[in-house]
Amino acid sequence: RHKKVMGSLSKMEEDEPSDYVTFEKLESTALRVLGEETMGRDDVDKILRAFRVLDHEKKGYLEPEELRMFMTTKGERFTDEEIQEMLESCIDSDTGLVDYEAYAKILADA
């Protein structure tokens, strides 16, 4: 698993003319890593780091449509059915938002 992530990072670096990686490449890679079941379960900190990449405004949550857009247009794209299933399990019923800290704990424990 570590080799796969490091390979992804190396690939991002190769594609750039400088020592920096564009946000778009980082975002795409983070989404792919979030979505790959073959990598096994990650700990809460790794999952949180990936969600925080998507939280541009550092609010601590994502709007459901914001997460839907990321998961259907960036990186490895999810189907509408997969997105709906995910949203049903990650939207806070009180706020209607994706509390990714709580969801990261669920993912790590699954």
Side-chain angles (χ1 to χ4, degrees):
R1 172 171 62 172
H2 177 72
K3 288 180 184 177
K4 195 170 196 176
V5 170
M6 293 309 293
S8 293
L9 293 174
S10 294
K11 177 69 174 132
M12 283 191 308
E13 290 170 346
E14 289 172 7
D15 293 343
E16 297 298 326
S18 69
D19 290 335
Y20 297 96
V21 175
T22 65
F23 177 78
E24 289 77 18
K25 287 195 185 282
L26 178 63
E27 178 182 60
S28 175
T29 300
L31 286 168
R32 190 179 76 252
V33 168
L34 272 174
E36 287 184 357
E37 294 178 2
T38 58
M39 289 187 66
R41 299 290 178 217
D42 283 321
D43 65 33
V44 173
D45 290 334
K46 287 181 183 178
I47 297 169
L48 280 174
R49 283 194 305 267
F51 273 113
R52 286 178 181 139
V53 167
L54 305 178
D55 183 7
H56 301 163
E57 298 174 19
K58 309 298 180 216
K59 304 173 291 200
Y61 63 86
L62 295 170
E63 301 279 342
E65 286 308 309
E66 187 177 26
L67 183 58
R68 178 186 299 276
M69 186 271 305
F70 286 131
M71 301 306 281
T72 58
T73 63
K74 308 284 186 185
E76 185 174 327
R77 292 167 177 91
F78 286 69
T79 66
D80 287 337
E81 184 178 301
E82 291 168 325
I83 294 298
Q84 189 58 37
E85 185 178 320
M86 182 200 311
L87 290 175
E88 287 171 5
S89 65
C90 72
I91 294 176
D92 182 291
S93 59
D94 293 331
T95 64
L97 302 170
V98 177
D99 175 355
Y100 57 77
E101 289 195 20
Y103 189 55
K105 291 175 187 170
I106 292 169
L107 290 174
D109 291 339

